[in-house]
Amino acid sequence: MTCPPFAVELRSLLAREDVRSISRRYFISNGFDGTLTSIGIVVGAVLSGVPDGLTVIRIGLGAAVGLGTSAVWSVWEIERAETRAEIRRIERAMLTDLDDTRVQREHRSARVLHATMSGLGPLVGILVPLTAFLFEGSVFTMVEAAVVSVALGIGVLGAFGAYMGSISGQRWYVAAARMGLAGLVVAAVNLVLPG
């Protein structure tokens, strides 16, 4: 059984460390932003007296759409400019046009992968913590759902940190604790804000 061309191309892209590294950075960076945003939304919503979990989920989904769109769009444009500049440098060095060549197709495919991973990061970072509010009213009160949501967010941040620590040769648990600490800081700052 032969693989479809896009699967072969994806496998080839993922075999390249430079492509994996850039996609990983976008995913983790935007996932970090999404998770901290989610924690801020959750704590702020509960402290503001939002009456039910469904409303918190709706607010969070709005943030997910905004951050996800921003992540995809910005990375698409950034990578488009960077790869065009790189192709132009190669063309000047080789004195040839690289339109519709393997080099151009690989750059375009890498750009699609980077933008996709960039957009997935904030979706994971926002949606995982919000799952606690699916059980508000049946399993949790609003405050309990918020506590579980913040804990889930800290867990997501810790997973990001552990992963980055493991690939960089650091102690994964120290990297996890450093990333998770950011979630605690955001929750604490929101608790002490006036209003």
Side-chain angles (χ1 to χ4, degrees):
M1 182 173 147
T2 57
C3 290
F6 76 89
V8 172
E9 192 169 352
L10 180 61
R11 188 179 304 142
S12 172
L13 275 175
L14 292 175
R16 293 175 44 193
E17 177 56 32
D18 62 325
V19 172
R20 287 197 318 268
S21 173
I22 292 169
S23 287
R24 186 169 53 230
R25 288 176 196 165
Y26 284 135
F27 177 79
I28 298 293
S29 175
N30 289 318
F32 185 82
D33 291 347
T35 307
L36 293 182
T37 299
S38 186
I39 290 171
I41 287 170
V42 163
V43 175
V46 171
L47 292 177
S48 299
V50 171
D52 59 84
L54 187 57
T55 303
V56 177
I57 290 171
R58 286 182 179 143
I59 295 167
L61 289 176
V65 169
L67 282 174
T69 302
S70 170
V72 170
W73 205 302
S74 64
V75 166
W76 181 263
E77 291 300 327
I78 290 165
E79 290 299 318
R80 183 172 186 255
E82 290 291 339
T83 56
R84 280 188 169 199
E86 184 178 342
I87 286 174
R88 285 177 54 207
R89 283 191 297 272
I90 295 169
E91 287 176 335
R92 281 194 301 273
M94 295 177 60
L95 301 174
T96 188
D97 183 8
L98 293 175
D99 281 349
D100 201 32
T101 62
R102 182 180 59 82
V103 171
Q104 187 187 46
R105 286 190 299 273
E106 283 179 355
H107 279 79
R108 184 173 41 240
S109 297
R111 186 167 68 236
V112 169
L113 179 63
H114 298 329
T116 301
M117 295 304 289
S118 179
L120 284 175
L123 293 182
V124 169
I126 290 174
L127 297 180
V128 170
L130 288 179
T131 58
F133 286 93
L134 293 172
F135 304 99
E136 184 275 322
S138 60
V139 177
F140 302 126
T141 65
M142 280 293 287
V143 171
E144 290 168 343
V147 170
V148 171
S149 181
V150 169
L152 287 170
I154 291 169
V156 169
L157 293 170
F160 289 158
Y163 175 66
M164 296 307 289
S166 68
I167 64 169
S168 63
Q170 300 174 60
R171 291 176 296 198
W172 65 268
Y173 51 90
V174 173
R178 277 198 316 260
M179 291 282 267
L181 181 61
L184 285 173
V185 168
V186 168
V189 169
N190 274 282
L191 283 172
V192 300
L193 283 175

